[in-house]
Short mmCIF file of all heavy atoms in Angstrom, two decimals:
data_model
loop_
_atom_site.label_atom_id
_atom_site.label_comp_id
_atom_site.label_asym_id
_atom_site.label_seq_id
_atom_site.Cartn_x
_atom_site.Cartn_y
_atom_site.Cartn_z
N VAL W 7 -13.95 36.69 -30.13
CA VAL W 7 -12.79 35.83 -30.38
C VAL W 7 -12.34 36.00 -31.83
O VAL W 7 -13.14 35.91 -32.76
CB VAL W 7 -13.14 34.34 -30.12
CG1 VAL W 7 -11.95 33.44 -30.43
CG2 VAL W 7 -13.61 34.14 -28.70
N LYS W 8 -11.06 36.26 -31.99
CA LYS W 8 -10.47 36.35 -33.33
C LYS W 8 -9.30 35.37 -33.40
O LYS W 8 -8.63 35.13 -32.39
CB LYS W 8 -9.96 37.77 -33.61
CG LYS W 8 -11.07 38.81 -33.71
CD LYS W 8 -10.49 40.20 -33.87
CE LYS W 8 -11.63 41.23 -33.87
NZ LYS W 8 -11.11 42.60 -33.77
N LEU W 9 -9.08 34.86 -34.59
CA LEU W 9 -7.93 33.98 -34.79
C LEU W 9 -7.12 34.50 -35.98
O LEU W 9 -7.64 34.61 -37.10
CB LEU W 9 -8.40 32.54 -35.06
CG LEU W 9 -7.29 31.54 -35.43
CD1 LEU W 9 -6.28 31.38 -34.30
CD2 LEU W 9 -7.90 30.17 -35.78
N LEU W 10 -5.87 34.86 -35.70
CA LEU W 10 -4.96 35.22 -36.78
C LEU W 10 -4.30 33.93 -37.26
O LEU W 10 -3.66 33.22 -36.46
CB LEU W 10 -3.88 36.20 -36.31
CG LEU W 10 -4.32 37.45 -35.54
CD1 LEU W 10 -3.15 38.44 -35.43
CD2 LEU W 10 -5.51 38.12 -36.20
N GLY W 11 -4.46 33.62 -38.54
CA GLY W 11 -3.95 32.35 -39.04
C GLY W 11 -3.39 32.44 -40.44
O GLY W 11 -3.32 33.52 -41.04
N ALA W 12 -2.95 31.29 -40.92
CA ALA W 12 -2.50 31.15 -42.31
C ALA W 12 -2.99 29.76 -42.74
O ALA W 12 -2.76 28.78 -42.02
CB ALA W 12 -0.99 31.25 -42.41
N PHE W 17 -0.34 24.34 -37.36
CA PHE W 17 -0.45 24.86 -36.00
C PHE W 17 -1.72 25.69 -35.83
O PHE W 17 -2.35 25.67 -34.78
CB PHE W 17 0.81 25.67 -35.66
CG PHE W 17 2.06 24.90 -35.97
CD1 PHE W 17 2.86 25.24 -37.06
CD2 PHE W 17 2.41 23.80 -35.21
CE1 PHE W 17 4.00 24.51 -37.36
CE2 PHE W 17 3.55 23.06 -35.51
CZ PHE W 17 4.34 23.40 -36.59
N VAL W 18 -2.08 26.39 -36.89
CA VAL W 18 -3.35 27.13 -36.89
C VAL W 18 -4.52 26.16 -36.92
O VAL W 18 -5.54 26.37 -36.25
CB VAL W 18 -3.39 28.10 -38.11
CG1 VAL W 18 -4.77 28.74 -38.23
CG2 VAL W 18 -2.31 29.17 -37.98
N ILE W 21 -5.95 25.06 -33.65
CA ILE W 21 -6.81 26.03 -32.94
C ILE W 21 -8.20 26.02 -33.57
O ILE W 21 -9.22 26.07 -32.86
CB ILE W 21 -6.20 27.46 -32.97
CG1 ILE W 21 -4.72 27.41 -32.56
CG2 ILE W 21 -7.00 28.39 -32.08
CD1 ILE W 21 -4.45 26.74 -31.24
N LEU W 25 -11.60 25.21 -31.45
CA LEU W 25 -12.71 26.17 -31.44
C LEU W 25 -13.98 25.51 -31.98
O LEU W 25 -15.07 25.69 -31.43
CB LEU W 25 -12.35 27.41 -32.27
CG LEU W 25 -11.29 28.34 -31.65
CD1 LEU W 25 -10.73 29.30 -32.70
CD2 LEU W 25 -11.87 29.13 -30.48
N GLU W 33 -13.91 35.08 -35.41
CA GLU W 33 -13.59 35.73 -36.68
C GLU W 33 -12.19 35.28 -37.09
O GLU W 33 -11.24 35.40 -36.30
CB GLU W 33 -13.64 37.24 -36.50
CG GLU W 33 -13.42 38.01 -37.78
CD GLU W 33 -13.39 39.53 -37.57
OE1 GLU W 33 -13.59 39.97 -36.41
OE2 GLU W 33 -13.15 40.25 -38.54
N TYR W 34 -12.10 34.75 -38.29
CA TYR W 34 -10.79 34.27 -38.76
C TYR W 34 -10.14 35.33 -39.65
O TYR W 34 -10.77 35.82 -40.59
CB TYR W 34 -10.97 32.96 -39.53
CG TYR W 34 -9.67 32.44 -40.11
CD1 TYR W 34 -8.72 31.86 -39.27
CD2 TYR W 34 -9.38 32.55 -41.46
CE1 TYR W 34 -7.51 31.40 -39.78
CE2 TYR W 34 -8.17 32.09 -41.98
CZ TYR W 34 -7.25 31.52 -41.13
OH TYR W 34 -6.05 31.08 -41.63
N LEU W 35 -8.92 35.67 -39.33
CA LEU W 35 -8.22 36.71 -40.09
C LEU W 35 -6.95 36.12 -40.71
O LEU W 35 -5.95 35.91 -40.02
CB LEU W 35 -7.86 37.89 -39.17
CG LEU W 35 -9.06 38.57 -38.48
CD1 LEU W 35 -8.60 39.50 -37.37
CD2 LEU W 35 -9.90 39.33 -39.50
N GLN W 37 -3.53 35.82 -42.46
CA GLN W 37 -2.37 36.71 -42.41
C GLN W 37 -1.43 36.44 -43.58
O GLN W 37 -1.25 35.30 -44.00
CB GLN W 37 -1.60 36.49 -41.10
CG GLN W 37 -2.41 36.72 -39.86
CD GLN W 37 -2.95 38.14 -39.77
OE1 GLN W 37 -2.17 39.08 -39.72
NE2 GLN W 37 -4.27 38.29 -39.79
N PHE W 45 -0.68 44.43 -37.56
CA PHE W 45 -1.57 43.87 -36.54
C PHE W 45 -0.99 42.57 -35.97
O PHE W 45 -0.99 42.37 -34.75
CB PHE W 45 -2.97 43.64 -37.12
CG PHE W 45 -3.99 43.28 -36.09
CD1 PHE W 45 -4.18 44.06 -34.95
CD2 PHE W 45 -4.78 42.14 -36.24
CE1 PHE W 45 -5.13 43.72 -33.98
CE2 PHE W 45 -5.72 41.79 -35.28
CZ PHE W 45 -5.89 42.59 -34.15
N LEU W 46 -0.47 41.72 -36.86
CA LEU W 46 0.15 40.47 -36.40
C LEU W 46 1.35 40.78 -35.50
O LEU W 46 1.51 40.19 -34.42
CB LEU W 46 0.57 39.61 -37.59
CG LEU W 46 1.39 38.35 -37.26
CD1 LEU W 46 0.61 37.39 -36.36
CD2 LEU W 46 1.82 37.61 -38.53
N VAL W 47 2.19 41.71 -35.95
CA VAL W 47 3.40 42.05 -35.19
C VAL W 47 3.03 42.64 -33.82
O VAL W 47 3.67 42.36 -32.80
CB VAL W 47 4.28 43.02 -36.00
CG1 VAL W 47 5.46 43.51 -35.18
CG2 VAL W 47 4.76 42.35 -37.28
N GLN W 48 1.96 43.42 -33.83
CA GLN W 48 1.49 44.04 -32.59
C GLN W 48 0.94 42.97 -31.63
O GLN W 48 1.15 43.05 -30.42
CB GLN W 48 0.39 45.04 -32.98
CG GLN W 48 -0.20 45.86 -31.89
CD GLN W 48 -1.41 46.65 -32.42
OE1 GLN W 48 -1.45 47.08 -33.59
NE2 GLN W 48 -2.42 46.80 -31.58
N CYS W 49 0.27 41.97 -32.20
CA CYS W 49 -0.35 40.92 -31.36
C CYS W 49 0.66 39.88 -30.89
O CYS W 49 0.47 39.26 -29.85
CB CYS W 49 -1.46 40.22 -32.14
SG CYS W 49 -2.89 41.26 -32.41
N ASN W 50 1.71 39.66 -31.66
CA ASN W 50 2.72 38.67 -31.28
C ASN W 50 4.11 39.26 -31.53
O ASN W 50 4.84 38.81 -32.41
CB ASN W 50 2.51 37.37 -32.08
CG ASN W 50 3.44 36.25 -31.62
OD1 ASN W 50 4.19 36.40 -30.65
ND2 ASN W 50 3.37 35.13 -32.30
N PRO W 51 4.46 40.31 -30.74
CA PRO W 51 5.71 41.03 -31.00
C PRO W 51 6.95 40.17 -30.81
O PRO W 51 7.99 40.44 -31.40
CB PRO W 51 5.68 42.19 -29.99
CG PRO W 51 4.73 41.75 -28.92
CD PRO W 51 3.73 40.87 -29.58
N HIS W 53 7.38 36.69 -31.39
CA HIS W 53 7.65 35.70 -32.44
C HIS W 53 7.14 36.12 -33.83
O HIS W 53 7.60 35.60 -34.84
CB HIS W 53 7.04 34.35 -32.08
CG HIS W 53 7.53 33.80 -30.77
ND1 HIS W 53 8.86 33.61 -30.50
CD2 HIS W 53 6.86 33.40 -29.65
CE1 HIS W 53 8.99 33.10 -29.27
NE2 HIS W 53 7.80 32.99 -28.73
N LYS W 54 6.15 37.01 -33.84
CA LYS W 54 5.58 37.51 -35.11
C LYS W 54 5.05 36.37 -35.98
O LYS W 54 5.24 36.37 -37.19
CB LYS W 54 6.62 38.34 -35.88
CG LYS W 54 7.18 39.49 -35.07
CD LYS W 54 8.32 40.19 -35.79
CE LYS W 54 8.97 41.27 -34.95
NZ LYS W 54 9.69 40.75 -33.75
N LYS W 55 4.45 35.38 -35.34
CA LYS W 55 3.97 34.21 -36.06
C LYS W 55 2.53 33.89 -35.71
O LYS W 55 2.02 34.30 -34.66
CB LYS W 55 4.86 33.00 -35.72
CG LYS W 55 6.25 33.11 -36.32
CD LYS W 55 7.12 31.92 -35.95
CE LYS W 55 8.52 32.08 -36.55
NZ LYS W 55 9.46 31.06 -36.07
N VAL W 56 1.90 33.10 -36.58
CA VAL W 56 0.57 32.58 -36.30
C VAL W 56 0.73 31.17 -35.74
O VAL W 56 1.78 30.54 -35.95
CB VAL W 56 -0.29 32.55 -37.59
CG1 VAL W 56 -0.58 33.95 -38.06
CG2 VAL W 56 0.33 31.69 -38.68
N PRO W 57 -0.27 30.65 -35.03
CA PRO W 57 -1.55 31.28 -34.71
C PRO W 57 -1.45 32.26 -33.55
O PRO W 57 -0.63 32.10 -32.66
CB PRO W 57 -2.40 30.07 -34.29
CG PRO W 57 -1.42 29.12 -33.69
CD PRO W 57 -0.17 29.28 -34.49
N VAL W 58 -2.34 33.26 -33.60
CA VAL W 58 -2.59 34.12 -32.44
C VAL W 58 -4.09 34.13 -32.20
O VAL W 58 -4.86 34.38 -33.13
CB VAL W 58 -2.10 35.57 -32.66
CG1 VAL W 58 -2.40 36.42 -31.43
CG2 VAL W 58 -0.61 35.62 -32.98
N LEU W 59 -4.49 33.81 -31.00
CA LEU W 59 -5.88 33.92 -30.59
C LEU W 59 -6.05 35.25 -29.88
O LEU W 59 -5.23 35.59 -29.04
CB LEU W 59 -6.26 32.77 -29.64
CG LEU W 59 -7.75 32.76 -29.24
CD1 LEU W 59 -8.53 31.90 -30.22
CD2 LEU W 59 -7.94 32.25 -27.82
N ILE W 60 -7.11 35.97 -30.24
CA ILE W 60 -7.38 37.22 -29.56
C ILE W 60 -8.75 37.12 -28.90
O ILE W 60 -9.77 36.98 -29.57
CB ILE W 60 -7.35 38.42 -30.52
CG1 ILE W 60 -6.02 38.42 -31.30
CG2 ILE W 60 -7.51 39.73 -29.76
CD1 ILE W 60 -5.97 39.44 -32.42
N HIS W 61 -8.77 37.12 -27.60
CA HIS W 61 -10.02 37.01 -26.85
C HIS W 61 -10.23 38.32 -26.11
O HIS W 61 -9.45 38.66 -25.23
CB HIS W 61 -9.94 35.82 -25.87
CG HIS W 61 -11.23 35.57 -25.15
ND1 HIS W 61 -11.30 34.89 -23.97
CD2 HIS W 61 -12.50 35.91 -25.46
CE1 HIS W 61 -12.56 34.81 -23.57
NE2 HIS W 61 -13.30 35.44 -24.45
N ARG W 64 -7.28 40.58 -26.04
CA ARG W 64 -6.04 40.11 -25.42
C ARG W 64 -5.46 38.96 -26.24
O ARG W 64 -6.09 37.91 -26.38
CB ARG W 64 -6.29 39.69 -23.97
CG ARG W 64 -6.82 40.84 -23.13
CD ARG W 64 -6.67 40.59 -21.65
NE ARG W 64 -7.45 39.45 -21.18
CZ ARG W 64 -7.52 39.07 -19.91
NH1 ARG W 64 -6.82 39.74 -19.00
NH2 ARG W 64 -8.24 38.05 -19.54
N PRO W 65 -4.28 39.16 -26.81
CA PRO W 65 -3.71 38.15 -27.70
C PRO W 65 -2.92 37.05 -26.98
O PRO W 65 -2.24 37.32 -25.97
CB PRO W 65 -2.76 38.97 -28.58
CG PRO W 65 -2.35 40.12 -27.73
CD PRO W 65 -3.45 40.37 -26.74
N ILE W 66 -3.00 35.84 -27.50
CA ILE W 66 -2.24 34.70 -26.97
C ILE W 66 -1.60 33.98 -28.16
O ILE W 66 -2.27 33.68 -29.14
CB ILE W 66 -3.15 33.70 -26.23
CG1 ILE W 66 -3.92 34.41 -25.12
CG2 ILE W 66 -2.35 32.53 -25.66
CD1 ILE W 66 -5.10 33.62 -24.62
N ALA W 67 -0.30 33.69 -28.04
CA ALA W 67 0.42 32.99 -29.10
C ALA W 67 0.84 31.60 -28.64
O ALA W 67 0.72 31.27 -27.46
CB ALA W 67 1.65 33.80 -29.50
N GLU W 68 1.32 30.80 -29.57
CA GLU W 68 1.82 29.43 -29.34
C GLU W 68 0.63 28.44 -29.27
O GLU W 68 -0.16 28.48 -28.32
CB GLU W 68 2.64 29.31 -28.05
CG GLU W 68 3.86 30.20 -28.00
CD GLU W 68 5.05 29.60 -28.76
OE1 GLU W 68 4.89 28.55 -29.39
OE2 GLU W 68 6.13 30.21 -28.72
N SER W 69 0.59 27.51 -30.23
CA SER W 69 -0.62 26.69 -30.36
C SER W 69 -0.96 25.88 -29.11
O SER W 69 -2.12 25.83 -28.71
CB SER W 69 -0.52 25.79 -31.60
OG SER W 69 0.49 24.82 -31.46
N ILE W 72 -2.39 28.19 -26.49
CA ILE W 72 -3.75 28.60 -26.86
C ILE W 72 -4.73 27.48 -26.52
O ILE W 72 -5.82 27.72 -25.99
CB ILE W 72 -3.84 28.97 -28.35
CG1 ILE W 72 -2.95 30.18 -28.67
CG2 ILE W 72 -5.28 29.27 -28.74
CD1 ILE W 72 -2.81 30.49 -30.16
N ALA W 223 5.42 28.87 -39.07
CA ALA W 223 4.32 29.63 -38.47
C ALA W 223 3.98 29.14 -37.07
O ALA W 223 3.09 29.66 -36.43
CB ALA W 223 3.08 29.53 -39.37
N LYS W 224 4.73 28.16 -36.61
CA LYS W 224 4.39 27.58 -35.32
C LYS W 224 4.45 28.60 -34.19
O LYS W 224 3.59 28.64 -33.35
CB LYS W 224 5.34 26.42 -35.00
CG LYS W 224 5.06 25.81 -33.65
CD LYS W 224 6.06 24.74 -33.29
CE LYS W 224 5.85 24.29 -31.85
NZ LYS W 224 6.88 23.39 -31.42
N LYS W 225 5.55 29.33 -34.14
CA LYS W 225 5.77 30.13 -32.94
C LYS W 225 5.54 31.61 -33.18
O LYS W 225 5.95 32.13 -34.15
CB LYS W 225 7.19 29.92 -32.45
CG LYS W 225 7.45 28.47 -32.16
CD LYS W 225 8.84 28.28 -31.59
CE LYS W 225 9.20 26.82 -31.54
NZ LYS W 225 10.62 26.67 -31.29
#
Side-chain angles (χ1 to χ4, degrees):
Chain W
V7 178
K8 293 175 183 169
L9 174 62
L10 310 193
F17 309 107
V18 172
I21 312 306
L25 289 164
E33 184 183 357
Y34 177 74
L35 301 167
Q37 302 299 299
F45 189 52
L46 173 61
V47 174
Q48 183 188 326
C49 291
N50 186 4
H53 302 304
K54 304 173 185 67
K55 289 179 181 172
V56 293
V58 179
L59 184 91
I60 306 172
H61 185 201
R64 300 198 296 183
I66 304 164
E68 301 278 5
S69 67
I72 297 171
K224 178 184 173 187
K225 302 183 191 167

